[in-house]
Amino acid sequence: MRSAPITFCAAAAAALIALPVPAAQASPAARAGDDDRRTGTVSVTPSTTAPGGQVELWVDVCGKGREAKGNSDAFTSVAHFRPADDKGLFAEATIRSDAEPRAYDVWVTCENGKGKATGTLTVIHHNRPSPVAPVKAGGGGTATLAEQGAESEGPGLRHAVIGLVLAGVASVAVALRTSRRRRAPAAD
């Protein structure tokens, strides 16, 4: 009967140890040599914006000091990347004022032809009217973006790890309590 809690604790520990492995394997572009054709992802900040807004784009697949061009159906024009401080390449792009509310793909191609990257951007429309005059509470129209951004996010890796740790602690507590009850001498 004692093997069940031990087995559960061992499985929880194995799961916690195995979780960081995919993060180490997530960036094959960083390990590739300069002679290889590399692929990667475009970091878009903010990832959710309204028509007419501006986004920052970061990419590290092209290498230091290189140039790249980025495009999307949501952009008003081609984004020209330039070197940034040890973070790869940086560009800014403006979202078309007539962009439909949906997810858009972003493509980046390195000028040397040895790399490309992709990412996504979500365009939303305000459902409620935004304040026109300054508001004492602050935030203005950004409150709508924050609400919609929070609704689309679900539990992530951090929540899964916390859940596994709590389940392991509960299992150990139950196992200790059960073993104490079995060891208690019977009253005569």
Side-chain angles (χ1 to χ4, degrees):
M1 292 305 245
R2 293 184 185 183
S3 65
I6 293 171
T7 304
F8 181 75
C9 289
L16 286 174
I17 291 170
L19 282 177
V21 173
Q25 297 173 349
S27 180
R31 292 188 304 266
D34 284 340
D35 297 337
D36 299 333
R37 181 166 178 82
R38 297 185 263 176
T39 59
T41 58
V42 180
S43 175
V44 181
T45 306
S47 61
T48 303
T49 189
Q54 196 164 14
V55 294
E56 295 180 350
L57 307 167
W58 294 90
V59 66
D60 63 355
V61 73
C62 298
K64 288 184 181 179
R66 306 243 169 102
E67 295 180 359
K69 290 183 180 178
N71 206 350
S72 174
D73 293 338
F75 295 168
T76 56
S77 63
V78 174
H80 295 279
F81 284 81
R82 61 186 180 275
D85 301 333
D86 293 335
K87 295 181 182 178
L89 301 177
F90 169 78
E92 292 179 335
T94 303
I95 307 303
R96 290 187 351 246
S97 60
D98 63 343
E100 294 293 320
R102 66 178 176 92
Y104 290 88
D105 291 327
V106 178
W107 306 276
V108 175
T109 305
C110 301
E111 288 294 318
N112 62 4
K114 291 186 178 182
K116 61 182 178 179
T118 58
T120 58
L121 157 71
T122 304
V123 175
I124 59 168
H125 287 217
H126 295 282
N127 294 336
R128 292 177 251 157
S130 295
V132 177
V135 179
K136 288 184 180 181
T142 60
T144 304
L145 293 174
E147 289 173 6
Q148 292 179 353
E151 291 172 1
S152 65
E153 295 177 12
L157 178 64
R158 190 172 87 200
H159 295 101
V161 171
I162 291 171
L164 285 172
V165 169
L166 290 175
V169 169
S171 298
V172 169
V174 169
L176 289 174
R177 188 170 183 185
T178 303
S179 67
R180 285 183 187 165
R181 282 187 180 175
R182 288 185 183 160
R183 287 189 208 159
D188 286 296

